[in-house]
Amino acid sequence: MGETLLSKNLTGDGIPVFSANTDEGPWGYTSNNRRRLHRGDIVIGARGSVGYPRRPNFDAFTCTQTTIAVEPDHAVVDSEYLHHALCAADILGIASQQAVPMLTIGALSPLEITLPPLDEQRRIAEVLRSVDEAIAVTQATYDGIVTTQAAVFETFLQSGNLISDGQLIAGWTTGKIDCVRHLPVGWRVVKLVDVARLESGHTPDRKKPEYWDGGDVEWISLHDTQNLGRCEISKTEMRITQAGLANSSARLLPAGTVCFSRTATVGKCVIMPKSMATSQDFANFICSPALNNRYLLHLMRWMQPVWKALASGSTHKTIYMPTFKALQIILPPRVEQDQIAATMDSFVNMAESHAASLTHLRSLKANLMSDLLSGRVRVPA
């Protein structure tokens, strides 16, 4: 196990300290350590966050009592290979299952891994390292695209601050963006409901199977949260029947509707590419010709600090419908909305392409680990 170190033992200088968590970086730094680990040693979470083997990129470091330190015998095992093997192992499965999962040295020691000759271990590690490097480069590019997209959108919104004839904004009360003080000529702050029709959603009676079984009406709900990162959603996790639609307050909304998650996952939004319905967890906006729905989508995604300020509730944060009725947004002339939306869409397309590459690379690595670490596929000299 690691040494006993508490937060009060962190000094801010000295060597890095690793604790049981899923972060790649250190928990803190200390000069009060009694144990010293070295580059190539591996730290495994043993309490709470069990598993998550890490191979710290430091010449010297230590770890806390919530971890197990593995010091490879370099005469028989390559450290990088061992790290991959431990990452592939079911470490959580050998931990004691209690209120706070715990891994002991006694439980970890019998763990068996496939150990090819040392030189082949190094070749396997090199193959997996090359995939890791490709993942890191792709992830960095993806992160850069997302960051640049947000910065470019902010530049659009702040353009009135930078010109001599920018109009000072007055009467902006609900949904105000602090960094925007002036607007270009022709831009306005308007109530969203003046340029888009607000619609709510509903959940049909779950006790009536005829409202659900065999349903063909796509129904956006919190079950679809993981898919709300895309600009459009065409398939939903749950569907309702025509009877469910007819016998509830759910509404069939037209293609192009912007759906905003107003509870739990506040701020996620997506566009319907076809007629669909939603649960009551969404506020839905049917845009008039004065408002480009993709401009609204990108604006809403950028306004996360505003949503955080407008949400209320102790258990689950929620933005209530009266807030949306009062919400004011920045409305450029339609031709400029179209241009802004097209620019943002280009960033989205680039980001989605890199996200797909990341998915492919991670799948490739998982398959390689399965084949190479089991010995099913050998790596010749």
Side-chain angles (χ1 to χ4, degrees):
M1 304 295 288
E3 63 177 306
T4 300
L5 286 169
L6 306 177
S7 57
K8 65 181 181 182
N9 301 125
L10 300 180
T11 59
D13 57 1
I15 64 174
V17 179
F18 285 82
S19 185
N21 55 52
T22 60
D23 297 332
E24 284 298 319
W27 177 47
Y29 291 80
T30 187
S31 55
N32 295 330
N33 59 294
R34 296 184 304 279
R35 186 174 186 182
R36 192 178 186 91
L37 300 169
H38 302 89
R39 185 181 298 275
D41 293 341
I42 298 167
V43 176
I44 301 175
R47 294 182 188 172
S49 299
V50 170
Y52 305 104
R54 284 167 293 169
R55 190 168 169 264
N57 189 27
F58 294 93
D59 290 332
F61 59 93
T62 190
C63 59
T64 73
Q65 68 277 11
T66 63
T67 66
I68 294 175
V70 178
E71 301 177 65
D73 180 349
H74 299 289
V76 296
V77 63
D78 178 77
S79 169
E80 191 176 359
Y81 174 89
L82 179 59
H83 176 246
H84 286 300
L86 290 171
C87 286
D90 180 20
I91 293 178
L92 186 59
I94 61 176
S96 61
Q97 301 302 314
Q98 46 195 18
V100 178
M102 182 176 295
L103 178 69
T104 64
I105 293 176
L108 181 64
S109 296
L111 181 69
E112 295 184 356
I113 62 171
T114 302
L115 206 62
L118 188 57
D119 59 343
E120 188 173 355
Q121 293 177 41
R122 291 170 179 151
R123 292 194 295 272
I124 291 171
E126 183 178 359
V127 171
L128 296 176
R129 187 189 320 127
S130 67
V131 181
D132 281 336
E133 289 170 351
I135 290 173
V137 169
T138 307
Q139 182 69 60
T141 304
Y142 173 85
D143 293 341
I145 292 169
V146 172
T147 300
T148 303
Q149 177 185 354
V152 169
F153 196 85
E154 181 173 348
T155 300
F156 283 133
L157 295 185
Q158 290 188 341
S159 57
N161 297 341
L162 307 175
I163 56 178
S164 59
D165 60 347
Q167 307 167 84
L168 184 65
I169 301 172
W172 193 359
T173 55
T174 305
K176 188 177 187 304
I177 300 171
D178 290 336
C179 67
V180 180
R181 299 178 299 279
H182 296 78
L183 293 178
V185 174
W187 290 43
R188 297 179 292 150
V189 170
V190 302
K191 276 191 174 183
L192 178 53
V193 293
D194 288 342
V195 290
R197 189 170 89 243
L198 173 62
E199 293 281 358
S200 62
H202 193 258
T203 301
D205 191 341
R206 293 188 180 276
K207 296 179 181 178
K208 294 185 178 294
E210 64 269 25
Y211 292 173
W212 299 90
D213 294 350
D216 59 357
V217 178
E218 305 290 346
W219 183 73
I220 303 174
S221 69
L222 294 181
H223 293 280
D224 299 297
T225 296
Q226 64 179 0
N227 295 319
L228 299 183
R230 302 183 68 86
C231 287
E232 296 184 348
I233 180 172
S234 57
K235 293 291 184 182
T236 57
E237 291 295 315
M238 304 182 75
R239 285 167 288 280
I240 60 176
T241 64
Q242 293 296 332
L245 188 65
N247 292 280
S248 72
S249 297
R251 298 175 175 88
L252 190 63
L253 303 172
T257 298
V258 179
C259 309
F260 180 93
S261 177
R262 65 185 188 89
T263 64
T265 55
V266 174
K268 288 185 174 291
C269 46
V270 74
I271 291 175
M272 294 179 177
K274 60 184 180 181
S275 294
M276 303 168 77
T278 77
S279 73
Q280 63 274 18
D281 300 300
F282 291 81
N284 306 299
F285 298 92
I286 302 169
C287 297
S288 72
L291 179 59
N292 181 311
N293 64 345
R294 296 188 82 84
Y295 167 78
L296 179 61
L297 175 78
H298 293 302
L299 175 64
M300 285 182 150
R301 288 184 168 180
W302 186 85
M303 290 173 60
Q304 297 306 315
V306 174
W307 308 134
K308 184 176 181 180
L310 292 176
S312 59
S314 55
T315 305
H316 294 295
K317 295 295 184 181
T318 300
I319 299 178
Y320 293 98
M321 297 303 279
T323 300
F324 290 110
K325 292 177 181 178
L327 182 69
Q328 297 163 289
I329 65 164
I330 296 174
L331 188 73
R334 178 60 196 250
V335 65
E336 293 185 63
Q337 293 177 47
D338 297 346
Q339 293 168 350
I340 292 171
T343 301
M344 293 301 102
D345 283 347
S346 67
F347 280 107
V348 169
N349 292 337
M350 288 189 289
E352 289 183 348
S353 174
H354 283 79
S357 296
L358 279 171
T359 299
H360 170 73
L361 286 168
R362 286 168 179 151
S363 176
L364 173 64
K365 182 183 176 183
N367 291 333
L368 284 171
M369 289 179 73
S370 177
D371 287 338
L372 299 180
L373 298 177
S374 66
R376 286 194 301 270
V377 175
R378 304 302 295 270
V379 182

